């Protein structure tokens, strides 16, 4: 009888933007499943305690690195540190991202550059550096964090939507180019997920978030994205490549929560 292989135990995984939110949940979930995680954010003060918490819990080990994904040298140093500590890199989760909401006519050159370079440029840079190690090691998996805003237009999200649409196409292209090296590249397009970033922008209180058991009309939990990332990096997902998995609770167009939150 066939036993499904959902495990990621023993993998060495790099997770960007893991000081809080979805990235933190991804790092903690991988570690709980027995993976070794190298996590980064722009501040050791913020990402260091996350690694310490992981090391205190049962499961895989954690290494924290200060790294701004907009900086090529930082990204190279991140992967060097991961390889030095854990011997190799099996998986990359390009999660670092962010945005501000603004009408297109109000977005300055700086604002456009900041959002596109973080969300798309950071994904490009991390994949390029990770790919060097993975090609030399005979394979790996990459999961990029896109967004439903990269699939459907939303007012105030022109820069972010363009960048996330770019992440989706970059994912598809890399999957085609790197299949011959044994590297699978997929991405996840989350709907609205309760994170500190969303709380800052929309002011949603953690206590207002319904439990995972509720199917219809709710905001998502970071752990629901983390579980999906683990699946995509596991052998169980071996025939998934170049896909965008949309995770938004209900199959409506756009972000299912927009109506309830009065965003458009
Ligand atoms: N939450 C949602 O509803 C939602 C929906 C769709 C897609 N997403 C995507 O999911 C990802 C995570 O979102 P989130 O809501 O968890 O965000 P968040 O709560 O704002 O956390 C963002 C994380 O990224 C790090 N970060 C920001 N800029 C960075 C940089 N230049 N270099 C390295 N790390 C950086 C932050 O750490 P420091 O500040 O310490 O650097 C933080 O750990 C993003 O790509 C986002 O676009 C989120």
């Amino acid at each position: 009888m066939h036993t499904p292989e959902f495990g990621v135990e023993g993998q060495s995984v790099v997770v960007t933007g893991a000081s809080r939110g979805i990235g933190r949940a991804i790092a903690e979930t991988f570690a709980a499943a027995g993976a070794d995680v190298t996590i980064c954010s722009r501040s050791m003060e913020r990402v260091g305690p996350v690694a310490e918490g992981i090391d205190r819990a049962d499961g895989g080990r954690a290494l924290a690195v200060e790294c701004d994904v907009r900086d090529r040298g930082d990204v190279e140093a991140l992967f060097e540190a991961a390889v030095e500590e854990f011997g190799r890199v099996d998986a990359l989760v390009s999660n670092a991202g962010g945005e501000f909401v603004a009408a297109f006519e109000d977005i300055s050159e700086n604002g456009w550059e900041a959002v596109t370079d973080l969300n798309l440029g950071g994904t490009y840079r991390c994949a390029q550096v990770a790919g060097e190690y993975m090609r030399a090691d005979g394979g790996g998996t990459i999961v990029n964090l896109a967004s439903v805003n990269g699939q459907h237009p939303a007012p105030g999200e022109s820069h972010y939507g363009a960048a996330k649409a770019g992440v989706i196409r970059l994912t598809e292209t890399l999957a085609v180019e790197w299949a011959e090296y044994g590297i699978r590249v997929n991405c996840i397009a989350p709907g609205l997920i309760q994170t500190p970033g969303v709380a800052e922008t929309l002011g949603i209180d953690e206590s207002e978030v319904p439990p995972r058991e509720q199917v219809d009309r709710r905001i998502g939990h970071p752990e629901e994205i983390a579980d999906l990332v683990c699946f995509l990096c596991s052998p169980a997902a071996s025939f998934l490549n170049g896909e965008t998995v949309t995770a938004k609770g209900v199959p409506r167009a756009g972000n299912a929560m927009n109506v309830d939150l009065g965003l458009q």
Side-chain angles (χ1 to χ4, degrees):
M1 205 192 305
H2 173 70
T3 309
E5 296 178 70
F6 291 119
V8 291
E9 192 176 359
Q11 287 196 23
S12 164
V13 185
V14 173
V15 185
T16 66
S19 64
R20 64 183 202 174
I22 294 171
R24 177 179 181 156
I26 292 168
E28 291 174 345
T29 302
F30 266 100
D36 294 325
V37 292
T38 303
I39 62 178
C40 83
S41 94
R42 290 166 297 177
S43 154
M44 189 53 104
E45 236 171 63
R46 292 192 287 269
V47 77
V50 176
E52 284 162 25
I54 288 172
D55 277 336
R56 277 195 301 272
D58 282 342
R61 299 161 294 175
L63 171 70
V65 177
E66 192 171 277
C67 161
D68 186 331
V69 297
R70 295 168 299 181
D71 184 291
R72 165 72 62 164
D74 274 13
V75 171
E76 286 172 353
L78 169 68
F79 283 89
E80 278 161 24
V83 170
E84 192 176 316
E85 186 77 9
F86 300 124
R88 64 190 190 286
V89 173
D90 299 299
L92 158 67
V93 185
S94 257
N95 166 83
E99 63 155 331
F100 60 91
V101 177
F104 177 66
E105 57 271 28
D106 295 332
I107 298 174
S108 67
E109 289 276 350
N110 275 349
W112 180 270
E113 176 66 18
V115 170
T116 56
D117 194 35
L118 170 58
N119 292 280
L120 181 56
T123 306
Y124 143 76
R125 235 162 263 123
C126 290
Q128 208 169 56
V129 175
E132 268 184 55
Y133 290 98
M134 291 177 180
R135 286 197 306 276
D137 284 350
T141 54
I142 296 175
V143 177
N144 296 320
L145 266 290
S147 165
V148 290
N149 291 130
Q151 300 172 309
H152 304 278
E157 309 273 3
S158 58
H159 45 1
Y160 182 70
K164 292 300 194 184
V167 168
I168 292 171
R169 182 49 54 89
L170 175 63
T171 299
E172 294 166 347
T173 309
L174 278 184
V176 172
E177 290 193 10
W178 287 357
E180 66 177 293
Y181 303 114
I183 302 172
R184 289 189 298 109
V185 192
N186 291 293
C187 70
I188 298 175
L192 205 55
I193 307 296
Q194 172 64 28
T195 65
V198 161
E200 281 164 17
T201 320
L202 302 175
I204 298 166
D205 186 333
E206 189 92 35
S207 61
E208 295 167 13
V209 181
R212 289 177 71 157
E213 290 72 29
Q214 180 177 319
V215 175
D216 197 13
R217 294 222 163 221
R218 70 167 168 86
I219 190 167
H221 295 255
E223 293 74 20
E224 294 181 289
I225 302 303
D227 288 354
L228 195 49
V229 177
C230 278
F231 164 68
L232 288 172
C233 292
S234 77
S238 53
F239 210 45
L240 274 178
N241 197 10
E243 297 295 335
T244 300
V245 182
T246 305
K248 59 178 182 163
V250 292
R252 298 187 185 97
N255 187 331
M257 293 297 295
N258 281 354
V259 176
D260 290 346
L261 294 170
L263 292 179
Q264 57 183 2

